[in-house]
mmCIF file of all heavy atoms in Angstrom:
data_model
loop_
_atom_site.group_PDB
_atom_site.id
_atom_site.type_symbol
_atom_site.label_atom_id
_atom_site.label_comp_id
_atom_site.label_asym_id
_atom_site.label_seq_id
_atom_site.Cartn_x
_atom_site.Cartn_y
_atom_site.Cartn_z
ATOM 1 N N ASP A 251 3.693 27.558 -17.219
ATOM 2 C CA ASP A 251 4.459 28.714 -16.698
ATOM 3 C C ASP A 251 3.785 29.382 -15.546
ATOM 4 O O ASP A 251 4.405 29.743 -14.539
ATOM 5 C CB ASP A 251 4.637 29.804 -17.798
ATOM 6 C CG ASP A 251 5.619 29.343 -18.901
ATOM 7 O OD1 ASP A 251 6.435 28.466 -18.569
ATOM 8 O OD2 ASP A 251 5.525 29.869 -20.031
ATOM 9 N N LYS A 252 2.423 29.464 -15.554
ATOM 10 C CA LYS A 252 1.684 30.030 -14.473
ATOM 11 C C LYS A 252 1.761 29.136 -13.237
ATOM 12 O O LYS A 252 1.836 29.652 -12.094
ATOM 13 C CB LYS A 252 0.242 30.331 -14.887
ATOM 14 C CG LYS A 252 0.065 31.368 -15.928
ATOM 15 C CD LYS A 252 -1.383 31.716 -16.128
ATOM 16 C CE LYS A 252 -1.526 32.871 -17.103
ATOM 17 N NZ LYS A 252 -2.967 33.238 -17.305
ATOM 18 N N LEU A 253 1.684 27.876 -13.481
ATOM 19 C CA LEU A 253 1.883 26.929 -12.363
ATOM 20 C C LEU A 253 3.193 27.077 -11.659
ATOM 21 O O LEU A 253 3.304 27.135 -10.440
ATOM 22 C CB LEU A 253 1.748 25.477 -12.853
ATOM 23 C CG LEU A 253 2.124 24.378 -11.867
ATOM 24 C CD1 LEU A 253 1.290 24.418 -10.604
ATOM 25 C CD2 LEU A 253 2.016 22.993 -12.590
ATOM 26 N N THR A 254 4.213 27.225 -12.462
ATOM 27 C CA THR A 254 5.622 27.412 -11.886
ATOM 28 C C THR A 254 5.689 28.593 -10.960
ATOM 29 O O THR A 254 6.400 28.645 -9.960
ATOM 30 C CB THR A 254 6.621 27.456 -13.005
ATOM 31 O OG1 THR A 254 6.592 26.268 -13.773
ATOM 32 C CG2 THR A 254 8.072 27.626 -12.477
ATOM 33 N N GLU A 255 4.980 29.684 -11.401
ATOM 34 C CA GLU A 255 4.948 30.958 -10.601
ATOM 35 C C GLU A 255 4.272 30.746 -9.267
ATOM 36 O O GLU A 255 4.522 31.519 -8.364
ATOM 37 C CB GLU A 255 4.195 32.017 -11.388
ATOM 38 C CG GLU A 255 4.905 32.466 -12.677
ATOM 39 C CD GLU A 255 4.033 33.388 -13.484
ATOM 40 O OE1 GLU A 255 2.938 33.782 -13.045
ATOM 41 O OE2 GLU A 255 4.464 33.807 -14.585
ATOM 42 N N THR A 256 3.518 29.648 -9.043
ATOM 43 C CA THR A 256 2.825 29.489 -7.758
ATOM 44 C C THR A 256 3.683 28.635 -6.806
ATOM 45 O O THR A 256 3.286 28.405 -5.698
ATOM 46 C CB THR A 256 1.515 28.760 -7.931
ATOM 47 O OG1 THR A 256 1.724 27.381 -8.401
ATOM 48 C CG2 THR A 256 0.637 29.473 -8.947
ATOM 49 N N ILE A 257 4.888 28.225 -7.255
ATOM 50 C CA ILE A 257 5.737 27.348 -6.430
ATOM 51 C C ILE A 257 6.836 28.211 -5.824
ATOM 52 O O ILE A 257 7.670 28.797 -6.528
ATOM 53 C CB ILE A 257 6.363 26.206 -7.319
ATOM 54 C CG1 ILE A 257 5.238 25.351 -7.891
ATOM 55 C CG2 ILE A 257 7.314 25.378 -6.415
ATOM 56 C CD1 ILE A 257 5.722 24.351 -8.901
ATOM 57 N N PRO A 258 6.884 28.309 -4.515
ATOM 58 C CA PRO A 258 7.865 29.194 -3.905
ATOM 59 C C PRO A 258 9.342 28.931 -4.294
ATOM 60 O O PRO A 258 10.120 29.902 -4.466
ATOM 61 C CB PRO A 258 7.758 28.880 -2.393
ATOM 62 C CG PRO A 258 6.293 28.559 -2.235
ATOM 63 C CD PRO A 258 5.966 27.768 -3.490
ATOM 64 N N LEU A 259 9.758 27.675 -4.598
ATOM 65 C CA LEU A 259 11.089 27.405 -5.057
ATOM 66 C C LEU A 259 11.304 27.611 -6.516
ATOM 67 O O LEU A 259 12.374 27.429 -7.048
ATOM 68 C CB LEU A 259 11.559 26.001 -4.569
ATOM 69 C CG LEU A 259 11.724 25.811 -3.093
ATOM 70 C CD1 LEU A 259 12.319 24.429 -2.831
ATOM 71 C CD2 LEU A 259 12.647 26.874 -2.503
ATOM 72 N N GLY A 260 10.238 27.977 -7.217
ATOM 73 C CA GLY A 260 10.393 28.485 -8.636
ATOM 74 C C GLY A 260 10.584 27.468 -9.667
ATOM 75 O O GLY A 260 11.021 27.816 -10.762
ATOM 76 N N ARG A 261 10.299 26.193 -9.477
ATOM 77 C CA ARG A 261 10.391 25.237 -10.550
ATOM 78 C C ARG A 261 9.487 24.070 -10.280
ATOM 79 O O ARG A 261 9.038 23.834 -9.114
ATOM 80 C CB ARG A 261 11.837 24.663 -10.625
ATOM 81 C CG ARG A 261 12.254 23.813 -9.464
ATOM 82 C CD ARG A 261 13.587 23.060 -9.797
ATOM 83 N NE ARG A 261 14.116 22.330 -8.684
ATOM 84 C CZ ARG A 261 13.740 21.036 -8.416
ATOM 85 N NH1 ARG A 261 12.814 20.384 -9.077
ATOM 86 N NH2 ARG A 261 14.254 20.388 -7.395
ATOM 87 N N LEU A 262 9.067 23.409 -11.350
ATOM 88 C CA LEU A 262 8.337 22.146 -11.200
ATOM 89 C C LEU A 262 9.316 21.037 -10.598
ATOM 90 O O LEU A 262 10.504 21.117 -10.716
ATOM 91 C CB LEU A 262 7.784 21.668 -12.523
ATOM 92 C CG LEU A 262 6.758 22.587 -13.183
ATOM 93 C CD1 LEU A 262 6.313 21.952 -14.494
ATOM 94 C CD2 LEU A 262 5.575 22.864 -12.326
ATOM 95 N N SER A 263 8.638 20.075 -9.975
ATOM 96 C CA SER A 263 9.420 18.937 -9.410
ATOM 97 C C SER A 263 9.686 17.975 -10.541
ATOM 98 O O SER A 263 9.159 18.056 -11.662
ATOM 99 C CB SER A 263 8.549 18.331 -8.316
ATOM 100 O OG SER A 263 9.248 17.146 -7.849
ATOM 101 N N HIS A 264 10.625 17.047 -10.308
ATOM 102 C CA HIS A 264 10.857 15.900 -11.200
ATOM 103 C C HIS A 264 10.918 14.650 -10.275
ATOM 104 O O HIS A 264 11.114 14.757 -9.061
ATOM 105 C CB HIS A 264 12.152 16.105 -11.993
ATOM 106 C CG HIS A 264 13.364 16.398 -11.136
ATOM 107 N ND1 HIS A 264 14.025 15.462 -10.413
ATOM 108 C CD2 HIS A 264 14.048 17.624 -10.999
ATOM 109 C CE1 HIS A 264 15.063 16.041 -9.851
ATOM 110 N NE2 HIS A 264 15.108 17.343 -10.127
ATOM 111 N N PRO A 265 10.789 13.452 -10.842
ATOM 112 C CA PRO A 265 10.695 12.229 -10.056
ATOM 113 C C PRO A 265 11.900 12.084 -9.147
ATOM 114 O O PRO A 265 11.779 11.475 -8.070
ATOM 115 C CB PRO A 265 10.646 11.112 -11.098
ATOM 116 C CG PRO A 265 9.924 11.753 -12.242
ATOM 117 C CD PRO A 265 10.483 13.182 -12.308
ATOM 118 N N GLY A 266 13.066 12.558 -9.515
ATOM 119 C CA GLY A 266 14.293 12.463 -8.733
ATOM 120 C C GLY A 266 14.161 13.194 -7.328
ATOM 121 O O GLY A 266 14.755 12.733 -6.358
ATOM 122 N N ASP A 267 13.288 14.206 -7.250
ATOM 123 C CA ASP A 267 13.096 14.879 -5.950
ATOM 124 C C ASP A 267 12.480 13.876 -4.952
ATOM 125 O O ASP A 267 12.879 13.759 -3.778
ATOM 126 C CB ASP A 267 12.182 16.059 -6.131
ATOM 127 C CG ASP A 267 12.851 17.175 -6.936
ATOM 128 O OD1 ASP A 267 14.073 17.474 -6.733
ATOM 129 O OD2 ASP A 267 12.130 17.777 -7.747
ATOM 130 N N CYS A 268 11.489 13.180 -5.351
ATOM 131 C CA CYS A 268 10.821 12.167 -4.483
ATOM 132 C C CYS A 268 11.761 11.033 -4.264
ATOM 133 O O CYS A 268 11.755 10.485 -3.147
ATOM 134 C CB CYS A 268 9.486 11.684 -5.035
ATOM 135 S SG CYS A 268 8.197 12.957 -4.982
ATOM 136 N N ALA A 269 12.526 10.639 -5.272
ATOM 137 C CA ALA A 269 13.457 9.487 -5.078
ATOM 138 C C ALA A 269 14.534 9.869 -4.046
ATOM 139 O O ALA A 269 14.922 8.980 -3.242
ATOM 140 C CB ALA A 269 14.166 9.141 -6.419
ATOM 141 N N ASP A 270 14.953 11.124 -4.016
ATOM 142 C CA ASP A 270 15.945 11.523 -3.007
ATOM 143 C C ASP A 270 15.330 11.264 -1.566
ATOM 144 O O ASP A 270 16.072 10.727 -0.683
ATOM 145 C CB ASP A 270 16.239 13.018 -3.095
ATOM 146 C CG ASP A 270 17.112 13.351 -4.344
ATOM 147 O OD1 ASP A 270 17.756 12.503 -4.844
ATOM 148 O OD2 ASP A 270 17.021 14.543 -4.734
ATOM 149 N N VAL A 271 14.057 11.662 -1.395
ATOM 150 C CA VAL A 271 13.503 11.560 -0.071
ATOM 151 C C VAL A 271 13.236 10.060 0.285
ATOM 152 O O VAL A 271 13.385 9.635 1.394
ATOM 153 C CB VAL A 271 12.210 12.378 0.016
ATOM 154 C CG1 VAL A 271 11.517 12.222 1.354
ATOM 155 C CG2 VAL A 271 12.535 13.825 -0.189
ATOM 156 N N ALA A 272 12.750 9.297 -0.692
ATOM 157 C CA ALA A 272 12.473 7.911 -0.454
ATOM 158 C C ALA A 272 13.825 7.195 -0.031
ATOM 159 O O ALA A 272 13.837 6.353 0.873
ATOM 160 C CB ALA A 272 11.940 7.196 -1.670
ATOM 161 N N GLU A 273 14.902 7.520 -0.742
ATOM 162 C CA GLU A 273 16.215 6.936 -0.432
ATOM 163 C C GLU A 273 16.572 7.259 1.005
ATOM 164 O O GLU A 273 17.109 6.494 1.757
ATOM 165 C CB GLU A 273 17.268 7.446 -1.426
ATOM 166 C CG GLU A 273 18.571 6.784 -1.263
ATOM 167 C CD GLU A 273 19.581 7.284 -2.235
ATOM 168 O OE1 GLU A 273 19.354 8.242 -2.951
ATOM 169 O OE2 GLU A 273 20.683 6.709 -2.267
ATOM 170 N N PHE A 274 16.410 8.555 1.424
ATOM 171 C CA PHE A 274 16.675 8.947 2.796
ATOM 172 C C PHE A 274 15.804 8.226 3.797
ATOM 173 O O PHE A 274 16.376 7.672 4.761
ATOM 174 C CB PHE A 274 16.443 10.507 2.952
ATOM 175 C CG PHE A 274 16.422 10.951 4.404
ATOM 176 C CD1 PHE A 274 17.588 10.997 5.126
ATOM 177 C CD2 PHE A 274 15.263 11.311 4.977
ATOM 178 C CE1 PHE A 274 17.556 11.344 6.462
ATOM 179 C CE2 PHE A 274 15.194 11.700 6.282
ATOM 180 C CZ PHE A 274 16.360 11.780 7.011
ATOM 181 N N LEU A 275 14.526 8.143 3.624
ATOM 182 C CA LEU A 275 13.605 7.512 4.539
ATOM 183 C C LEU A 275 13.938 6.066 4.709
ATOM 184 O O LEU A 275 13.699 5.450 5.726
ATOM 185 C CB LEU A 275 12.182 7.733 4.131
ATOM 186 C CG LEU A 275 11.632 9.112 4.302
ATOM 187 C CD1 LEU A 275 10.185 9.180 3.684
ATOM 188 C CD2 LEU A 275 11.545 9.541 5.736
ATOM 189 N N ALA A 276 14.452 5.437 3.611
ATOM 190 C CA ALA A 276 14.791 4.016 3.673
ATOM 191 C C ALA A 276 16.207 3.755 4.158
ATOM 192 O O ALA A 276 16.575 2.547 4.262
ATOM 193 C CB ALA A 276 14.587 3.385 2.291
ATOM 194 N N SER A 277 16.964 4.766 4.500
ATOM 195 C CA SER A 277 18.328 4.615 4.868
ATOM 196 C C SER A 277 18.486 4.592 6.407
ATOM 197 O O SER A 277 17.560 4.919 7.121
ATOM 198 C CB SER A 277 19.200 5.854 4.333
ATOM 199 O OG SER A 277 18.887 6.978 5.112
ATOM 200 N N PRO A 278 19.655 4.279 6.914
ATOM 201 C CA PRO A 278 19.852 4.266 8.340
ATOM 202 C C PRO A 278 19.653 5.718 8.896
ATOM 203 O O PRO A 278 19.307 5.846 10.064
ATOM 204 C CB PRO A 278 21.346 3.896 8.441
ATOM 205 C CG PRO A 278 21.588 2.989 7.307
ATOM 206 C CD PRO A 278 20.787 3.608 6.150
ATOM 207 N N GLN A 279 19.858 6.762 8.088
ATOM 208 C CA GLN A 279 19.670 8.107 8.542
ATOM 209 C C GLN A 279 18.185 8.382 8.839
ATOM 210 O O GLN A 279 17.862 9.303 9.631
ATOM 211 C CB GLN A 279 20.176 9.082 7.530
ATOM 212 C CG GLN A 279 21.689 9.219 7.483
ATOM 213 C CD GLN A 279 22.347 8.091 6.699
ATOM 214 O OE1 GLN A 279 21.701 7.298 6.062
ATOM 215 N NE2 GLN A 279 23.653 7.995 6.872
ATOM 216 N N GLY A 280 17.330 7.550 8.328
ATOM 217 C CA GLY A 280 15.813 7.804 8.586
ATOM 218 C C GLY A 280 15.302 6.785 9.558
ATOM 219 O O GLY A 280 14.070 6.668 9.711
ATOM 220 N N GLN A 281 16.158 6.073 10.298
ATOM 221 C CA GLN A 281 15.660 4.955 11.145
ATOM 222 C C GLN A 281 14.798 5.353 12.316
ATOM 223 O O GLN A 281 14.149 4.463 12.923
ATOM 224 C CB GLN A 281 16.866 4.128 11.602
ATOM 225 C CG GLN A 281 17.787 4.879 12.536
ATOM 226 C CD GLN A 281 19.003 4.049 12.919
ATOM 227 O OE1 GLN A 281 18.995 2.820 12.872
ATOM 228 N NE2 GLN A 281 20.122 4.689 13.324
ATOM 229 N N TYR A 282 14.737 6.658 12.682
ATOM 230 C CA TYR A 282 13.867 7.067 13.810
ATOM 231 C C TYR A 282 12.790 7.868 13.338
ATOM 232 O O TYR A 282 12.145 8.711 14.163
ATOM 233 C CB TYR A 282 14.785 7.815 14.873
ATOM 234 C CG TYR A 282 14.139 7.744 16.255
ATOM 235 C CD1 TYR A 282 13.932 6.508 16.877
ATOM 236 C CD2 TYR A 282 13.874 8.927 16.896
ATOM 237 C CE1 TYR A 282 13.363 6.473 18.116
ATOM 238 C CE2 TYR A 282 13.311 8.975 18.189
ATOM 239 C CZ TYR A 282 13.111 7.718 18.812
ATOM 240 O OH TYR A 282 12.549 7.719 20.085
ATOM 241 N N ILE A 283 12.398 7.796 12.068
ATOM 242 C CA ILE A 283 11.293 8.584 11.494
ATOM 243 C C ILE A 283 10.206 7.657 11.155
ATOM 244 O O ILE A 283 10.372 6.735 10.319
ATOM 245 C CB ILE A 283 11.799 9.378 10.264
ATOM 246 C CG1 ILE A 283 12.903 10.367 10.572
ATOM 247 C CG2 ILE A 283 10.557 10.088 9.690
ATOM 248 C CD1 ILE A 283 13.563 10.955 9.356
ATOM 249 N N THR A 284 8.980 7.907 11.735
ATOM 250 C CA THR A 284 7.786 7.125 11.363
ATOM 251 C C THR A 284 6.547 7.946 11.575
ATOM 252 O O THR A 284 6.517 8.868 12.395
ATOM 253 C CB THR A 284 7.726 5.779 12.128
ATOM 254 O OG1 THR A 284 6.784 4.940 11.488
ATOM 255 C CG2 THR A 284 7.352 5.989 13.573
ATOM 256 N N GLY A 285 5.503 7.673 10.827
ATOM 257 C CA GLY A 285 4.240 8.377 10.977
ATOM 258 C C GLY A 285 4.290 9.799 10.451
ATOM 259 O O GLY A 285 3.418 10.573 10.728
ATOM 260 N N VAL A 286 5.241 10.009 9.537
ATOM 261 C CA VAL A 286 5.386 11.455 9.039
ATOM 262 C C VAL A 286 4.750 11.591 7.671
ATOM 263 O O VAL A 286 4.942 10.654 6.798
ATOM 264 C CB VAL A 286 6.920 11.735 8.955
ATOM 265 C CG1 VAL A 286 7.148 13.071 8.081
ATOM 266 C CG2 VAL A 286 7.495 11.914 10.333
ATOM 267 N N ILE A 287 4.101 12.680 7.425
ATOM 268 C CA ILE A 287 3.521 13.008 6.128
ATOM 269 C C ILE A 287 4.415 14.186 5.660
ATOM 270 O O ILE A 287 4.302 15.259 6.056
ATOM 271 C CB ILE A 287 2.074 13.526 6.199
ATOM 272 C CG1 ILE A 287 1.221 12.511 7.087
ATOM 273 C CG2 ILE A 287 1.445 13.714 4.829
ATOM 274 C CD1 ILE A 287 1.204 11.103 6.608
ATOM 275 N N LEU A 288 5.298 13.846 4.654
ATOM 276 C CA LEU A 288 6.347 14.802 4.267
ATOM 277 C C LEU A 288 6.158 15.385 2.873
ATOM 278 O O LEU A 288 6.251 14.677 1.890
ATOM 279 C CB LEU A 288 7.707 14.032 4.328
ATOM 280 C CG LEU A 288 8.929 14.865 3.936
ATOM 281 C CD1 LEU A 288 9.075 16.065 4.847
ATOM 282 C CD2 LEU A 288 10.144 13.970 4.025
ATOM 283 N N PRO A 289 5.773 16.655 2.795
ATOM 284 C CA PRO A 289 5.665 17.334 1.483
ATOM 285 C C PRO A 289 7.002 17.461 0.826
ATOM 286 O O PRO A 289 7.995 17.842 1.440
ATOM 287 C CB PRO A 289 5.067 18.713 1.818
ATOM 288 C CG PRO A 289 4.468 18.569 3.207
ATOM 289 C CD PRO A 289 5.326 17.613 3.965
ATOM 290 N N VAL A 290 7.044 17.051 -0.434
ATOM 291 C CA VAL A 290 8.271 17.291 -1.243
ATOM 292 C C VAL A 290 7.741 18.004 -2.491
ATOM 293 O O VAL A 290 7.648 17.508 -3.600
ATOM 294 C CB VAL A 290 8.862 15.883 -1.661
ATOM 295 C CG1 VAL A 290 10.187 16.053 -2.413
ATOM 296 C CG2 VAL A 290 9.149 15.035 -0.415
ATOM 297 N N ASP A 291 7.462 19.317 -2.263
ATOM 298 C CA ASP A 291 6.703 20.058 -3.277
ATOM 299 C C ASP A 291 7.239 21.476 -3.522
ATOM 300 O O ASP A 291 6.551 22.283 -4.176
ATOM 301 C CB ASP A 291 5.198 20.137 -2.885
ATOM 302 C CG ASP A 291 4.984 20.836 -1.558
ATOM 303 O OD1 ASP A 291 5.940 21.385 -0.959
ATOM 304 O OD2 ASP A 291 3.781 21.001 -1.142
ATOM 305 N N GLY A 292 8.392 21.815 -2.968
ATOM 306 C CA GLY A 292 8.893 23.148 -3.240
ATOM 307 C C GLY A 292 8.160 24.230 -2.556
ATOM 308 O O GLY A 292 8.223 25.404 -2.927
ATOM 309 N N GLY A 293 7.303 23.874 -1.583
ATOM 310 C CA GLY A 293 6.452 24.796 -0.935
ATOM 311 C C GLY A 293 5.098 25.008 -1.528
ATOM 312 O O GLY A 293 4.306 25.869 -1.095
ATOM 313 N N TRP A 294 4.794 24.279 -2.589
ATOM 314 C CA TRP A 294 3.515 24.481 -3.411
ATOM 315 C C TRP A 294 2.318 24.404 -2.565
ATOM 316 O O TRP A 294 1.365 25.165 -2.745
ATOM 317 C CB TRP A 294 3.543 23.439 -4.483
ATOM 318 C CG TRP A 294 2.484 23.585 -5.534
ATOM 319 C CD1 TRP A 294 2.185 24.780 -6.266
ATOM 320 C CD2 TRP A 294 1.583 22.623 -6.064
ATOM 321 N NE1 TRP A 294 1.239 24.561 -7.142
ATOM 322 C CE2 TRP A 294 0.771 23.236 -7.053
ATOM 323 C CE3 TRP A 294 1.314 21.297 -5.737
ATOM 324 C CZ2 TRP A 294 -0.174 22.572 -7.727
ATOM 325 C CZ3 TRP A 294 0.370 20.620 -6.452
ATOM 326 C CH2 TRP A 294 -0.406 21.234 -7.433
ATOM 327 N N SER A 295 2.264 23.539 -1.591
ATOM 328 C CA SER A 295 1.075 23.320 -0.824
ATOM 329 C C SER A 295 0.792 24.442 0.162
ATOM 330 O O SER A 295 -0.321 24.547 0.755
ATOM 331 C CB SER A 295 1.075 21.978 -0.050
ATOM 332 O OG SER A 295 2.231 21.977 0.813
ATOM 333 N N LEU A 296 1.761 25.383 0.347
ATOM 334 C CA LEU A 296 1.524 26.476 1.289
ATOM 335 C C LEU A 296 0.457 27.384 0.705
ATOM 336 O O LEU A 296 -0.328 27.979 1.524
ATOM 337 C CB LEU A 296 2.813 27.269 1.447
ATOM 338 C CG LEU A 296 3.976 26.519 2.094
ATOM 339 C CD1 LEU A 296 5.250 27.332 2.155
ATOM 340 C CD2 LEU A 296 3.615 26.073 3.490
ATOM 341 N N ALA A 297 0.422 27.616 -0.559
ATOM 342 C CA ALA A 297 -0.670 28.408 -1.196
ATOM 343 C C ALA A 297 -0.884 28.116 -2.621
ATOM 344 O O ALA A 297 -1.940 28.308 -3.187
ATOM 345 C CB ALA A 297 -0.319 29.933 -1.017
ATOM 346 N N GLY A 298 0.178 27.703 -3.321
ATOM 347 C CA GLY A 298 0.101 27.619 -4.766
ATOM 348 C C GLY A 298 -0.858 26.574 -5.315
ATOM 349 O O GLY A 298 -1.445 26.741 -6.321
#
């Protein structure tokens, strides 16, 4: 519960969140994206 309070979007992640982004990066919509380090963490790395 305390961990959840440190996440700006107010919930823990689940594997589907990363799967969403992996699917996007592997799709034609992501074809001009490379060398990117992309947080999928609900803002947790900002301070939490």
